[in-house]
Amino acid sequence: MVQTITLSDGTILPALGAGTWNMGDTPARREEEIASLRYAVEQGIQVVDTAEMYGNGRSEKLVGEAIAPMREQVFLVSKVLPSNASAQGVAQSCRRSLRHLGTDRLDLYLLHWRGSVPLAETVEAFRTLQREGLIRYWGVSNFDTDDMRDLEGCSRPGECAANQVLYSLEHRGVEYDLLQADRQRRVVTMAYSPIGQGGALLAHPALARVAARHTTSLGAATPAQVALAWVLRQPNVLAIPKAGSPAHMRLNVAAAELRLVPQDLAELDAAFAPPASKEPLAMI
């Protein structure tokens, strides 16, 4: 059974999505990256995440080209920079993102991180976009517990659909309080970089030992699949790993088949300790 998450209005989505950070930056890889995203959607991955910041719009343009033949199958996410989070800036950024993406609406629009613009102004700008039919839902990214409490002061219960944060075996700080707090608020946690950056996480011997005990429909499990399955085990968490090739995307899709057992989780806890106290929110 494929894991799912549920938005505050009851909308159900697969818990595995596709991230696109750095995609579109290398022209020689463009066709392969487009093929990867199309394969993902064909396999039932609905959530495709991008941002105006990624390559100054290059990622959005690549995503737009990739999903053009299958737009109705995609739950499309983009993000506005905090420097553009004013009422006028949100309106302009959203329309620019829609042009890049070649679509008439975003399914989810996030504030990329908190900046100097008052949250109430940004929230009202998101509501205006909803009334205009340009976005379905809005949310935030890189918000810690204090930020989410501040957001409660200018939003209605269940109105913020998601909070996208860094979450992986090597960045577990959000487990101390943020994951539970967002669950209680009916805010979905979107986990970016769930299998780490640069390969250091995946070289850890604990991941190799756990992987050796599991298989998927593609054969022996890999450390990356274990790391992804570990994130997907959490309720209310939607993971958005990037895969720049169909072969990599196939591995990510197959990772959703893994079910880690208590022995696996204990071994991973021993190698990557859960937080014992509040930690500053990690960001990449």
Side-chain angles (χ1 to χ4, degrees):
M1 179 181 294
V2 176
Q3 299 99 309
T4 61
I5 56 91
T6 304
L7 300 181
S8 60
D9 68 352
T11 297
I12 297 174
L13 295 168
L16 178 61
T20 63
W21 190 14
N22 295 326
M23 291 177 71
D25 289 347
T26 306
R29 299 190 60 187
R30 187 176 187 85
E31 288 188 12
E32 188 174 40
E33 290 172 342
I34 288 173
S36 178
L37 290 174
R38 289 181 178 170
Y39 174 83
V41 177
E42 289 167 356
Q43 297 305 305
I45 287 180
Q46 291 179 242
V47 176
V48 177
D49 176 88
T50 185
E52 67 173 353
M53 185 188 78
Y54 298 168
N56 292 318
R58 289 190 296 273
S59 173
E60 288 180 326
K61 291 175 182 177
L62 181 139
V63 169
E65 182 178 344
I67 69 170
M70 48 187 62
R71 174 64 184 93
E72 298 308 313
Q73 298 167 247
V74 173
F75 187 93
L76 185 59
V77 185
S78 193
K79 297 182 278 293
V80 59
L81 283 163
S83 55
N84 294 330
S86 65
Q88 182 178 5
V90 166
Q92 292 174 342
S93 284
C94 182
R95 286 169 171 81
R96 182 168 55 247
S97 290
L98 291 174
R99 289 194 298 272
H100 288 164
L101 290 159
T103 188
D104 61 353
R105 87 280 181 196
L106 291 168
D107 296 291
L108 176 61
Y109 200 32
L110 307 177
L111 173 61
H112 209 147
W113 64 89
R114 190 172 183 178
S116 60
V117 176
L119 289 177
E121 181 175 350
T122 305
V123 168
E124 189 52 45
F126 285 157
R127 290 169 176 161
T128 298
L129 293 176
Q130 285 178 314
R131 289 192 293 269
E132 294 173 344
L134 299 183
I135 68 173
R136 291 176 60 195
Y137 305 94
W138 64 263
V140 294
S141 181
N142 297 301
F143 269 43
D144 206 347
T145 46
D146 289 346
D147 302 310
M148 294 302 290
R149 279 194 291 269
D150 291 344
L151 185 63
E152 279 188 311
C154 58
S155 62
R156 296 182 287 270
E159 190 175 14
C160 174
N163 181 17
Q164 185 175 133
V165 296
L166 178 63
Y167 180 45
S168 68
L169 275 165
E170 58 187 350
H171 295 289
R172 298 185 63 172
V174 296
E175 292 180 355
Y176 185 75
D177 55 0
L178 183 61
L179 292 186
Q180 178 62 25
D182 282 352
R183 276 197 294 268
Q184 291 173 344
R185 292 185 176 97
R186 295 182 297 159
V187 175
V188 169
T189 296
M190 296 180 69
Y192 72 83
S193 297
I195 56 177
Q197 292 282 318
L201 168 64
L202 304 184
H204 197 288
L207 281 167
R209 290 193 298 269
V210 173
R213 297 196 289 265
H214 291 273
T215 60
T216 73
S217 56
L218 298 179
T222 68
Q225 288 176 320
V226 170
L228 183 51
W230 180 88
V231 171
L232 290 171
R233 88 200 188 286
Q234 283 276 11
N236 198 53
V237 171
L238 193 164
I240 50 168
K242 185 189 77 170
S245 69
H248 188 181
M249 187 64 76
R250 279 193 288 274
L251 290 170
N252 284 355
V253 171
E257 302 169 15
L258 292 181
R259 296 295 180 269
L260 302 181
V261 299
Q263 178 188 354
D264 302 326
L265 298 177
E267 189 163 353
L268 293 172
D269 280 347
F272 306 93
S277 60
K278 179 66 177 174
E279 301 175 3
L281 186 68
M283 293 175 59
I284 294 179

